[in-house]
Amino acid sequence: AEKVIQVWSTASRQEGEELTLDCSYETSQVLYHLFWYKHLLSGEMVFLIRQTSSSTAKERSGRYSVVFQKSLKSISLIISALQPDDSGKYFCALWEPIWQISEGYITGNTGKLIFGLGTTLQVQP
Amino acid sequence: DMKVTQMPRYLIKRMGENVLLECGQDMSHETMYWYRQDPGLGLQLIYISYDVDSNSEGDIPKGYRVSRKKREHFSLILDSAKTNQTSVYFCASRPGQGPGQLYFGEGSKLTVL
């Protein structure tokens, strides 16, 4: 069964520091996709970064980057130069495909995200 | 502007009352989702909709039903709400097929007394 594990429920850092958020996963998929989302204090859920299992590129998006260790089934989110606005809850998620089948034929391919429990980050000014 | 809008943002209901949570998106995305988020449980999928009148149960559908009569609109209905349905509900959408980013709304916080 697909599963996402975020061990640390909370983290606290000072402004300007760097933080690594760990995530591990279980999957039977050969090709799979991992995502990081941030749940803002306003309620908004924001997409941060995506990692495809077949990619060896070090994914980056602004101050966000990932360390992907496929053999360990681990993906870490690194946030550099922390700011107080980085406070929030960070979720790691794994894409699970859903095949739509009608009369024995595949009619569609969508999917869902399976989320970890999240890590709440507090950045102190 | 690409946006998923949820209404209402906050709702308080008594046990046994009916609840309607509404979600709209302006991106013509085919697929839409309802998740709920609870402390210690992460986000759990309630229902998924592939398009108009094409809905499928997620992982925790019991006690919920959905309606999608227009592509841009997806409703979550609780008939006779229960206290254990107190939660934050997220609607999301995404375009096309295959893996990809979900676009989330800002959540609807439901309290059932």
Side-chain angles (χ1 to χ4, degrees):
Chain A
E2 314 294 283
K3 193 174 180 180
V4 177
I5 303 144
Q6 293 179 256
V7 175
W8 301 106
S9 60
T10 61
S12 181
R13 294 289 186 278
Q14 295 292 126
E15 186 174 2
E17 292 182 334
E18 182 177 277
L19 170 72
T20 299
L21 295 173
D22 295 322
C23 172
S24 61
Y25 55 90
E26 298 172 9
T27 182
S28 58
Q29 301 174 67
V30 175
L31 175 65
Y32 52 91
H33 307 264
L34 296 154
F35 297 79
W36 280 96
Y37 278 84
K38 178 185 176 185
H39 186 203
L40 305 178
L41 297 176
S42 65
E44 194 178 354
M45 187 78 86
V46 177
F47 164 74
L48 297 179
I49 200 163
R50 169 181 175 172
Q51 175 73 50
T52 300
S53 62
S54 59
S55 171
T56 57
K58 186 176 170 71
E59 299 296 334
R60 296 192 71 90
S61 177
R63 294 184 294 110
Y64 302 110
S65 62
V66 295
V67 173
F68 179 50
Q69 297 177 285
K70 188 174 178 179
S71 61
L72 299 178
K73 287 196 163 60
S74 166
I75 181 166
S76 298
L77 176 71
I78 299 170
I79 311 172
S80 62
L82 283 166
Q83 303 166 1
D85 280 352
D86 290 324
S87 298
K89 192 161 188 174
Y90 290 80
F91 289 96
C92 177
L94 169 69
W95 180 263
E96 178 178 342
I98 300 173
W99 300 95
Q100 296 154 252
I101 298 173
S102 178
E103 297 179 5
Y105 292 93
I106 294 173
T107 56
N109 165 25
T110 183
K112 64 182 182 182
L113 286 177
I114 297 171
F115 287 86
L117 299 186
T119 301
T120 299
L121 169 64
Q122 182 76 35
V123 179
Q124 307 288 346
Chain B
D1 192 21
M2 296 165 65
K3 196 169 175 62
V4 177
T5 304
Q6 291 185 233
M7 292 290 287
R9 292 288 315 279
Y10 302 92
L11 187 61
I12 298 175
K13 286 285 192 178
R14 295 197 179 278
M15 194 168 60
E17 291 184 329
N18 298 333
V19 176
L20 173 64
L21 301 180
E22 306 207 68
C23 175
Q25 47 100 357
D26 59 4
M27 301 167 278
S28 291
H29 288 171
E30 295 95 330
T31 310
M32 295 187 74
Y33 306 79
W34 277 106
Y35 281 86
R36 65 178 278 179
Q37 183 193 345
D38 301 291
L41 291 176
L43 279 85
Q44 298 173 278
L45 180 65
I46 306 171
Y47 265 93
I48 181 172
S49 175
Y50 304 114
D51 212 327
V52 172
D53 283 331
S54 180
N55 308 316
S56 184
E57 294 181 345
D59 300 316
I60 53 162
K62 189 177 178 182
Y64 303 94
R65 61 184 176 93
V66 292
S67 175
R68 192 162 179 206
K69 298 300 181 186
K70 294 182 179 180
R71 176 173 280 191
E72 62 271 16
H73 194 250
F74 190 34
S75 301
L76 180 69
I77 302 138
L78 289 68
D79 295 314
S80 187
K82 300 173 180 53
T83 55
N84 63 7
Q85 292 178 307
T86 293
S87 187
V88 179
Y89 292 87
F90 283 99
C91 175
S93 72
R94 69 171 301 272
Q97 303 274 317
Q101 172 190 347
L102 268 61
Y103 295 80
F104 282 88
E106 292 182 314
S108 295
K109 184 173 171 60
L110 171 66
T111 302
V112 182
L113 302 175

